[in-house]
Amino acid sequence: IILSRILLPMVFLLLCYGFWASSSFQDISAGVALFLFGMFCMEQGFKIFSGSGLQGLLAASTDRLWKSLSFGIVSTTLMQSSSLVSVLTISFLSAQLIGLAQGIGIVFGANLGTTTGAWIVAGFGLKVKISTYAMPLLVFGVILLMRNSERAKGIGWILIGVGFLFLGIHFMKEGFASYAQAIDLTQYAIPGVAGLLVFTLIGVAATVVMQSSHATMTLIITALAASQITYDNALALAIGSNVGTTVTAVLGSLSANVAGKRLAGAHLIFNLVTGLIALVLIQPLIMVVDEVSAAVGIAPDNHTMKLAVFHTLFNLLGVMIMIPMIDRLVVFLEKHLREASSDHDGPRFLSNAALDIPAVALHAGIQETEHLFKNATTLLAHGVCLKRSFINGNEDLQSLIEPRGEVISINIDENYDKTIRDIHGANITFLTRAQANASADHAKAFNYLRQANTDVLTAIKAVKHLRKNLLRYMRSDNIHMRREYNRFRMRIASVIRDLRSLNDTDNASLRLLALDQIKVAVREEEKAAQRSLDKLIRAGVINSDLATSLINDGNYTKIVVRSLMDMTKAWNKAILSDNEVEDILSLEPEEIEAIARQVH
């Protein structure tokens, strides 16, 4: 933070001096700014299209290594930003939409995909007056942006983005052409190994500042086309831009979980290894570039196209070297990057990067809410003196009714702090931020998850109140009180067991249907509890104080049970679309019962 406070004013001062000193510098700076803004607009457009069937798309596109590589290549070619693809992949991994090996494959593919930008700029952007294409794209983009359709807006953002990319390339090209008439920047060229190292570092720095290797490469190509940098120095700048792009991924991983940090580590290792290989083998690579260029008809003096060939070759070489090492890389990263050991459980699936794509944010929120539910049911079970193994097992819950239960010593407040508080707080913050910029459908789903998280806390608070009398009467000599409090325990255990079994079913629609059956059983148990209480009062076997305790604690039990069911209902509604929920609600009771049997 301190560095950014110092760096930003320095950048502003340098830019102001450059604007005052040279109109050509203004053109180049404006070109870079327009190019980066174009990339931002394209990102906005692609994020709109990323929500529909994202999980299924990722599963189908990354289940093989070659598919992961292809996904990385294609997505980066379309978005023209390997940094964006890397950050998004970290969010996919953090939300457990993909595995680490799949994420590494996407990152490797993204590095190959980013080379297409150099080909487009060198082969097309410098050979035609690209600004003439920008204007119609901007006009059509703005028209589509004014439509109500999300898809139309997505296409509009993409067209506007491409238009600004083209304008940015035009201004950069014009700026360097003007410089060529006033000053020869090649006088600052550095030959030999020193030049290689210095310009590599400049490439790293430029990419860190602009947060885009694609923008850096475009700047390098336009400068090379205007003969403002030498071919050798341009090659070193290209290597540096490749290494510098890892900074964005590393920054994106800071708020991610350990899985995201592992992927950022893989990205860093790949780009450092690739950059090192390119530096060490630069002379052989230059010879290969000359051979390949001659074979495909690129003129010996067409250095911009040869730079694109070089950029592709050393990235391809890096991928070929690293692919056989993916499994070992996964083992290495999992061994050296682990979850910090702590007696406090925290969020596992949330990351700031996921907030950029509502579909990813929703999946992360669903996963984290399930994590909270699992922790909560353990706390609730222990709160009513039931072991988790008993609830997870197949033992008859009726066996709880008569015997004096074994007291489980637990501090609910302390356990709440260790296993619930941090997850719940992170969930609410994450869901609130995600909801702010989400579409109506996603906003409703985020709201369901917020409600589910609230229901969990309601259940825990009720168990805390119930436990006070439960510890007293579950071992009481009064058989009637002991039996009634053990029935409270049985009702809570039964619902937790049923809901956990329910969550093992993959189909959220079936879970909602089966939940209705559980509700029917719960209502019957509540009626039976009321009848039992009335019978004890009429028989005069309990006094008014004991009756009051049973009434109050029966209400706490009802709150626990109903909060858990409400939580499950809201959680499943967040998974389903509104149309799917409406279809379920429109079913007849007989249809619900028949389908619910499929779950059991």
Side-chain angles (χ1 to χ4, degrees):
I1 296 175
I2 295 174
L3 182 62
S4 65
R5 288 177 179 175
I6 298 173
L7 186 61
L8 188 60
M10 288 179 62
V11 170
F12 277 3
L13 287 173
L14 288 173
L15 286 173
C16 289
Y17 174 76
F19 295 155
W20 173 78
S22 170
S23 59
S24 298
F25 181 81
Q26 291 183 34
D27 289 341
I28 296 170
S29 299
V32 173
L34 288 170
F35 191 92
L36 292 173
F37 183 70
M39 291 184 65
F40 170 79
C41 293
M42 288 182 67
E43 289 175 15
Q44 295 300 112
F46 282 113
K47 285 173 185 176
I48 290 175
F49 288 104
S50 63
S52 180
L54 179 64
Q55 189 171 358
L57 174 65
L58 286 172
S61 304
T62 60
D63 57 348
R64 297 285 188 277
L65 178 58
W66 68 269
K67 287 186 178 181
S68 296
L69 285 167
S70 301
F71 184 88
I73 293 170
V74 172
S75 58
T76 306
T77 300
L78 291 173
M79 298 183 191
Q80 286 299 294
S81 174
S82 62
S83 296
L84 172 64
V85 173
S86 298
V87 170
L88 294 181
T89 305
I90 287 172
S91 70
F92 298 155
L93 188 59
S94 297
Q96 289 195 343
L97 283 165
I98 58 174
L100 181 57
Q102 295 166 297
I104 291 174
I106 293 174
V107 167
F108 286 5
N111 276 271
L112 274 179
T114 197
T115 64
T116 59
W119 286 99
I120 292 170
V121 176
F124 173 69
L126 301 179
K127 291 181 169 55
V128 297
K129 191 176 181 181
I130 202 168
S131 58
T132 58
Y133 295 93
M135 300 309 172
L137 288 171
L138 291 172
V139 171
F140 290 129
V142 170
I143 292 172
L144 289 172
L145 205 60
M146 296 169 66
R147 305 281 294 174
N148 292 327
S149 167
E150 284 293 313
R151 288 185 174 274
K153 288 182 178 180
I155 296 172
W157 277 118
I158 292 170
L159 291 178
I160 290 171
V162 175
F164 278 119
L165 288 181
F166 284 0
L167 277 181
I169 294 170
H170 168 75
F171 276 103
M172 280 187 263
K173 184 171 66 174
E174 292 297 313
F176 279 115
S178 299
Y179 255 131
Q181 298 172 4
I183 185 173
D184 182 11
L185 294 179
T186 56
Q187 62 183 303
Y188 301 105
I190 304 174
V193 175
L196 187 63
L197 296 176
V198 168
F199 276 85
T200 297
L201 292 175
I202 293 173
V204 172
T207 306
V208 169
V209 170
M210 290 190 282
Q211 292 287 286
S212 169
S213 62
H214 188 51
T216 305
M217 281 301 299
T218 302
L219 194 61
I220 295 167
I221 291 170
T222 51
L224 182 61
S227 300
Q228 289 297 292
I229 55 174
T230 65
Y231 176 55
D232 289 345
N233 289 163
L235 299 182
L237 286 167
I239 296 170
S241 73
N242 231 53
V243 175
T245 193
T246 60
V247 174
T248 304
V250 170
L251 292 175
S253 73
L254 293 179
S255 63
N257 56 22
V258 69
K261 289 179 173 64
R262 287 168 182 163
L263 184 63
H267 190 201
L268 180 63
I269 290 170
F270 173 80
N271 282 54
L272 287 176
V273 169
T274 303
L276 185 61
I277 290 170
L279 287 172
V280 173
L281 301 178
I282 190 162
Q283 290 304 322
L285 281 172
I286 290 174
M287 293 171 61
V288 174
V289 167
D290 291 340
E291 293 293 331
V292 171
S293 299
V296 297
I298 296 174
D301 60 346
N302 191 344
H303 289 133
T304 54
M305 290 296 290
K306 289 172 74 172
L307 175 60
V309 174
F310 174 80
H311 193 219
T312 301
L313 278 179
F314 83 78
N315 273 286
L316 181 60
L317 180 61
V319 169
M320 292 173 64
I321 291 172
M322 293 298 293
I323 279 179
M325 301 172 64
I326 284 182
D327 290 339
R328 279 178 282 179
L329 184 59
V330 168
V331 172
F332 172 81
L333 292 167
E334 289 178 345
K335 179 180 178 181
H336 290 88
L337 289 176
R338 298 180 180 177
E339 292 278 8
S341 58
S342 172
D343 58 350
H344 283 67
D345 195 7
R348 300 177 184 175
F349 308 101
L350 309 181
S351 69
N352 287 335
L355 292 169
D356 290 333
I357 302 182
V360 178
L362 179 59
H363 184 83
I366 289 168
Q367 294 281 91
E368 203 62 65
T369 301
E370 185 178 17
H371 177 206
L372 179 70
F373 174 73
K374 289 178 179 178
N375 283 6
T377 52
T378 299
L379 177 57
L380 294 172
H382 290 170
V384 294
C385 297
L386 292 170
K387 293 180 180 179
R388 186 170 55 183
S389 59
F390 182 88
I391 291 179
N392 292 340
N394 298 316
E395 296 172 75
D396 182 13
L397 292 175
Q398 290 289 337
S399 63
L400 289 172
I401 294 298
E402 287 299 338
R404 288 180 171 86
E406 178 185 347
V407 173
I408 294 179
S409 179
I410 180 176
N411 185 320
I412 290 184
D413 288 332
E414 183 179 324
N415 275 265
Y416 172 83
D417 287 340
K418 288 182 178 181
T419 64
I420 302 296
R421 182 190 295 277
D422 291 347
I423 302 171
H424 177 266
N427 266 352
I428 296 301
T429 301
F430 180 85
L431 294 169
T432 302
R433 292 175 64 192
Q435 192 174 13
N437 299 315
S439 64
D441 288 342
H442 278 114
K444 188 173 289 187
F446 290 129
N447 198 49
Y448 284 138
L449 289 178
R450 283 167 56 92
Q451 183 58 50
N453 278 263
T454 301
D455 290 332
V456 168
L457 261 59
T458 302
I460 293 173
K461 289 177 182 177
V463 159
K464 183 180 176 181
H465 290 295
L466 173 62
R467 182 175 170 84
K468 296 173 185 177
N469 284 329
L470 182 74
L471 295 179
R472 177 181 178 186
Y473 291 117
M474 64 180 275
R475 296 182 61 80
S476 172
D477 291 333
N478 185 328
I479 188 173
H480 305 294
M481 293 297 287
R482 187 171 72 237
R483 182 185 299 132
E484 293 306 309
Y485 273 90
N486 280 335
R487 279 178 174 161
F488 293 159
R489 297 170 68 213
M490 188 184 76
R491 282 163 59 189
I492 292 172
S494 176
V495 168
I496 292 176
R497 179 182 284 185
D498 287 344
L499 293 181
R500 283 194 169 184
S501 175
L502 207 63
N503 288 343
D504 291 336
T505 306
D506 292 333
N507 191 312
S509 299
L510 291 179
R511 288 199 295 266
L512 271 180
L513 292 170
L515 186 61
D516 284 338
Q517 299 300 301
I518 296 174
K519 285 182 178 179
V520 171
V522 165
R523 290 193 190 102
E524 291 301 318
E525 289 170 0
E526 289 173 353
K527 291 177 182 177
Q530 185 62 52
R531 288 194 298 268
S532 177
L533 175 60
D534 292 345
K535 185 177 178 180
L536 292 175
I537 294 174
R538 284 195 297 267
V541 296
I542 60 172
N543 59 33
S544 59
D545 288 339
L546 296 179
T548 300
S549 293
L550 284 174
I551 291 171
N552 288 336
D553 291 330
N555 285 331
Y556 286 133
T557 301
K558 185 184 296 186
I559 290 171
V560 173
V561 167
R562 293 195 174 186
S563 294
L564 288 175
M565 290 191 298
D566 289 344
M567 176 270 163
T568 303
K569 183 176 182 179
W571 182 71
N572 281 285
K573 278 187 172 183
I575 297 173
L576 298 169
S577 67
D578 284 343
N579 289 336
E580 289 173 307
V581 174
E582 289 175 7
D583 290 342
I584 292 169
L585 295 178
S586 66
L587 292 175
E588 296 297 326
E590 297 79 9
E591 295 175 295
I592 292 175
E593 185 175 355
I595 298 174
R597 289 196 204 101
Q598 298 178 31
V599 178
H600 301 293

